[in-house]
Amino acid sequence: MAGRIPKALYRSNSNTSNRVARESTVIMKTPAILIFLWSFPFLSTSFRLDRNSKDGRDGRLLGLTDFESGTTSPWIDESAADAKWLIEDFSAPFDPSQPAPMPPSGTKYLRVNRPAGTSGQAVLRSEPFIVQPGDQFRLSFWIRSDPIQVNNIQIYWSNNGVQERILSLVEYSTPTNFEWRTISVLIPATGPVETRLSIFGFCNSGTVDAVAIDNLVVESSDQTVPPSSTTVYTTVSTTTSPGGCPSNLGANSVRCETLGGKCYCFSLYKVDSWYTGDSYCRTNGATLVSLETQTEISLIDSYITSASSGLDQYAYWTSGQWVGSGYTWTGSNQPFTATNWYPGQPDDLASGYCVRLFYGGDYAGRWSDIICSGEGYTPFYFICEL
């Protein structure tokens, strides 16, 4: 352990290849030497991937939690199923054949642990605390996933009793990821308010699948809540049709249509994970569809079933996901009001479950909840909303 940074002084992750951006941007280099500058409009607020945090910045509201003491306090595991956040020691991994990479400091960290051959989502929540404008949450994380972008870590904050997502890390979920990274996200408070942070870690059933976190801290920053509209700079071109709705969203086959004055984009290919569809929409400035009114429910159903759409009448992911104690439209951070559940649905009221439109059997486009990873059944299409 000689030469390693003590956790009390830990401020950065030397393993990550991403540069620090003092603004809420991330600069990435691809093998093709293309540089992407992203302002990430798909999160409720901005985040940055850190190499060197600002000197002298201390966790003043939720102090640094590094798990070296063998406890999770002031964080509480509130997982409802078999998947749990458990403290793992680098020198004694749960599965010696699938060890974690060397953590940034110390030897202990939290890892999602579940029975062999099963998948699930673990839930970790902080004790209540007062957040101030400009406070940010920082953590180290490691995700490995095969197939790509199935496992995920999502961060939510509670805003007057409503949980809002501020960070998703699915893009780092690859089969070849063997490094810890450190990331910061601004908590979008506009004034002092009591809140709790929630960390949802979804881990699929494969032996190589892994989700782990370390060095959790809330600290002050020089960031402010950004404007709601930001600019995205990418190498992906989108052909825009008159009226502002693109004919296709992003580089893949996701065809867009203006329906009822809004722009909806329907994937023409299937994905085996809700997180993959969610990530694709957000990367391209959209979200998975939120069906918040009976008018919108009927509008989407009528289009999918129309002969002119040419769409496969099978199953489509929406932004619906179980968050906390109920299903929420994560695209708009709103609870369900108008609904179109199939009789007997929902029947999986737990973390790790998402909502699909289903046209199989006698479902006729009504909703069902199903595990978000798509494990054990045919992959689904997805619908983005601009």
Side-chain angles (χ1 to χ4, degrees):
M1 297 285 181
R4 299 184 65 203
I5 302 173
K7 286 212 171 186
L9 301 178
Y10 177 71
R11 286 292 180 272
S12 65
N13 172 24
S14 60
N15 291 333
T16 181
S17 60
N18 296 71
R19 296 180 56 196
V20 170
R22 287 180 62 89
E23 303 78 22
S24 56
T25 60
V26 178
I27 298 176
M28 298 182 182
K29 294 184 179 180
T30 71
I33 322 179
L34 296 174
I35 299 178
F36 299 85
L37 180 60
W38 289 357
S39 292
F40 291 106
F42 50 88
L43 300 177
S44 301
T45 182
S46 55
F47 70 86
R48 63 172 181 263
L49 194 61
D50 289 340
R51 170 166 288 183
N52 298 297
S53 298
K54 187 174 180 180
D55 291 338
R57 182 178 297 161
D58 295 320
R60 59 183 181 82
L61 297 177
L62 278 182
L64 180 66
T65 304
D66 58 17
F67 311 110
E68 294 302 301
S69 66
T71 67
T72 63
S73 180
W75 295 83
I76 305 163
D77 183 272
E78 295 187 359
S79 306
D82 291 335
K84 305 288 185 184
W85 287 108
L86 296 180
I87 296 175
E88 182 176 74
D89 194 303
F90 176 75
S91 62
F94 300 144
D95 181 355
S97 68
Q98 301 295 332
M102 176 69 74
S105 55
T107 63
K108 294 184 175 69
Y109 45 85
L110 275 189
R111 185 168 178 173
V112 174
N113 185 263
R114 75 279 188 228
T118 66
S119 61
Q121 181 164 261
V123 182
L124 187 72
R125 289 195 172 92
S126 72
E127 295 178 354
F129 67 96
I130 302 298
V131 63
Q132 301 284 346
D135 287 340
Q136 68 179 13
F137 176 58
R138 175 164 54 86
L139 77 158
S140 301
F141 67 95
W142 169 56
I143 311 177
R144 193 173 65 201
S145 175
D146 188 9
I148 190 172
Q149 294 189 349
V150 171
N151 299 332
N152 193 16
I153 296 171
Q154 298 185 95
I155 313 297
Y156 286 76
W157 81 301
S158 176
N159 182 15
N160 293 319
V162 178
Q163 290 201 90
E164 297 180 359
R165 184 172 63 178
I166 56 177
L167 184 62
S168 173
L169 300 174
V170 70
E171 65 188 279
Y172 302 102
S173 183
T174 68
T176 57
N177 182 23
F178 292 95
E179 64 179 346
W180 287 84
R181 292 177 169 89
T182 297
I183 202 164
S184 299
V185 58
L186 180 67
I187 303 172
T190 56
V193 63
E194 184 176 88
T195 190
R196 296 181 75 188
L197 294 180
S198 301
I199 304 176
F200 293 83
F202 180 82
C203 192
N204 207 7
S205 59
T207 57
V208 304
D209 292 306
V211 175
I213 56 176
D214 198 4
N215 299 314
L216 315 181
V217 62
V218 172
E219 57 195 1
S220 60
S221 78
D222 53 9
Q223 297 188 78
T224 57
V225 178
S228 58
S229 60
T230 53
T231 302
V232 184
Y233 300 93
T234 72
T235 59
V236 177
S237 61
T238 299
T239 303
T240 302
S241 60
C245 186
S247 58
N248 192 84
L249 185 67
N252 296 343
S253 297
V254 182
R255 192 183 69 212
C256 301
E257 298 287 345
T258 299
L259 304 172
K262 296 178 65 176
C263 185
Y264 300 95
C265 303
F266 300 81
S267 73
L268 304 182
Y269 66 98
K270 299 173 185 175
V271 295
D272 59 3
S273 165
W274 180 92
Y275 302 107
T276 303
D278 179 68
S279 177
Y280 185 88
C281 294
R282 292 180 183 272
T283 298
N284 289 283
T287 64
L288 284 171
V289 68
S290 300
L291 302 172
E292 298 179 83
T293 66
Q294 288 294 342
T295 298
E296 191 171 22
I297 292 169
S298 298
L299 185 71
I300 297 301
D301 177 67
S302 295
Y303 180 72
I304 292 174
T305 56
S306 68
S308 60
S309 75
L311 295 175
D312 184 6
Q313 295 181 36
Y314 178 54
Y316 292 81
W317 287 120
T318 71
S319 77
Q321 186 181 46
W322 183 270
V323 177
S325 59
Y327 278 104
T328 295
W329 297 117
T330 60
S332 60
N333 288 318
Q334 296 299 315
F336 281 25
T337 50
T339 60
N340 190 33
W341 293 108
Y342 182 78
Q345 294 289 323
D347 60 355
D348 292 299
L349 307 177
S351 297
Y353 285 85
C354 296
V355 178
R356 62 175 180 170
L357 308 181
F358 190 48
Y359 289 87
D362 63 347
Y363 272 70
R366 285 173 288 187
W367 307 351
S368 65
D369 59 347
I370 198 162
I371 194 167
C372 303
S373 70
E375 175 193 11
Y377 48 77
T378 304
F380 304 148
Y381 301 100
F382 61 91
I383 307 170
C384 299
E385 178 180 354
L386 282 166

